[in-house]
Amino acid sequence: MLSRERFARIYAHQEADRVPIIDDPWAGTLRRWRREGMPGDMEWADFFGIDKLGWIGVDISPRYEEKVLEETPRYKIVTSPWGVTMKQFKEEDSTPQFLDYKVVDEESWADAKARMLPGEDRINWAYLKENYPKWVAEGRWITAGFWFGFDVTHSWMMGTENLLFAMVEEPELVKDMFDTYLSCCTTLFGRIWDAGYRFDEINWPDDMGYKGTTFFSPAMYRELLKPFHKRAIDWAHEKGIYARLHSCGNIMTLVPDLMEIGLDALNPLEIKAGMDPLALKARYGRSLTLHGGINAVLWDQPEAIIAEIDRLVPKLKEGGGYIFSSDHSIPNSVSLADMERIVARVKEVGVY
């Protein structure tokens, strides 16, 4: 069974040959696997015999100047197209330190918004022309990568503290930002769709939680962000495709609202933050596809991760509606042998 057929059946809450298997290894993880024997010219998913996606992205940034402000043997300080100044460390798989933000208030947002016009040059047509026929021939599940909401606004443009204060003190500003991001996405992906390039789902990152709880209350979610999530989901459903949300942290209190607006799939079900995949399966398993929920902390512990797979996958796969992956991404502590054991076990217990 090709990936596209496998995903389609799982999303329809039907049994397939096995659960789909996808994930997101760190760059350092891939380098480790190649050092340990994975061919350098081979896609990692092909090496393990798991599913592959086609991914379509667009550029909605304000396109501020990118430049290097300082560089040392350990790091460099750069500016981003989103107007953020950040320190990028050169250690393997490090995360950047955000230093400053250009967009912090209504005036600076007006400048950024004026630069976010969704022109044709924001779509990489050459990339689509080259890769789309291959994805179709290989039977890949094709995803449109939307970019809007709380997470990307605080992470890549405004900063967490600035945005959280704005959500309380300047809610209309925040809604305008969410609206602009989403409108750019629907406009550009609408052009891609009208040009004959079809995708099976939209997927967007919107981390709304951290350990134990959410960044904001359900009431604030309903007022400021839920309408835009609904608009994106409705846009997808109007085209007969699915909507999948990636939201790290503990968002258990927001799941009822997500179900109310028709979300089709939820990822990554972060265990260490307090998400409960089995409870979600029991309550929403007939209509919500669960993606992830396998504690990434355990992946380099052979006995513990196999036990966790045995505990969760047979129950999560029941009646379709489950995609296997870690509850975040695959860190470079996971060896090639670790990953081979994991995939082999999932293929064993994840069959129908």
Side-chain angles (χ1 to χ4, degrees), residues 7 10-13 20 22 141 143 200-206 208 229 233 236-237 241-247 251 255 258-259 261-269 275 280 284-292 320-324:
F7 271 88
I10 292 301
Y11 265 76
H13 297 271
I22 56 175
W141 183 256
T143 298
D200 301 297
E201 67 173 0
I202 66 169
N203 176 55
W204 74 99
D206 206 348
M208 297 182 287
H229 283 175
I233 292 168
H237 289 173
I241 62 176
Y242 296 102
R244 175 165 54 102
L245 167 65
H246 167 95
S247 191
I251 62 163
V255 175
L258 294 169
M259 296 303 300
I261 58 178
L263 185 70
D264 298 298
L266 180 61
N267 162 266
L269 316 179
M275 293 295 284
L280 291 171
Y284 304 110
R286 294 184 179 181
S287 53
L288 180 65
T289 293
L290 302 176
H291 170 197
Y322 178 65
I323 301 165
F324 177 87

Side-chain angles (χ1 to χ4, degrees), residues 46-62:
D46 287 329
F47 179 82
F48 292 105
I50 62 175
D51 296 279
K52 296 191 293 184
L53 306 179
W55 182 268
I56 304 173
V58 296
D59 174 18
I60 70 163
S61 75

Side-chain angles (χ1 to χ4, degrees), residues 332-343:
N332 58 35
S333 60
V334 179
S335 70
L336 187 67
D338 289 334
M339 189 64 184
E340 287 177 316
R341 279 191 296 269
I342 288 167
V343 171

Side-chain angles (χ1 to χ4, degrees), residues 58-63 82 109-123 180-181 183-185 187-188 191:
V58 296
D59 174 18
I60 70 163
S61 75
R63 291 181 166 176
W82 295 90
W109 164 243
D111 177 73
K113 180 179 178 179
R115 302 168 65 99
M116 294 171 67
L117 300 177
E120 289 290 311
D121 63 334
R122 291 178 177 272
I123 301 170
T180 300
Y181 275 57
S183 296
C184 287
C185 287
T187 297
L188 293 171
R191 291 175 186 168

Side-chain angles (χ1 to χ4, degrees), residues 4 31 46 86 94 98 105 160 167 180 210 212 222 233-234 263 284 286:
R4 188 169 189 273
R31 287 191 289 269
D46 287 329
M86 65 184 77
S94 61
F98 295 92
D105 54 24
T160 306
M167 290 172 76
T180 300
Y210 54 103
R222 293 174 194 129
I233 292 168
D234 288 347
L263 185 70
Y284 304 110
R286 294 184 179 181

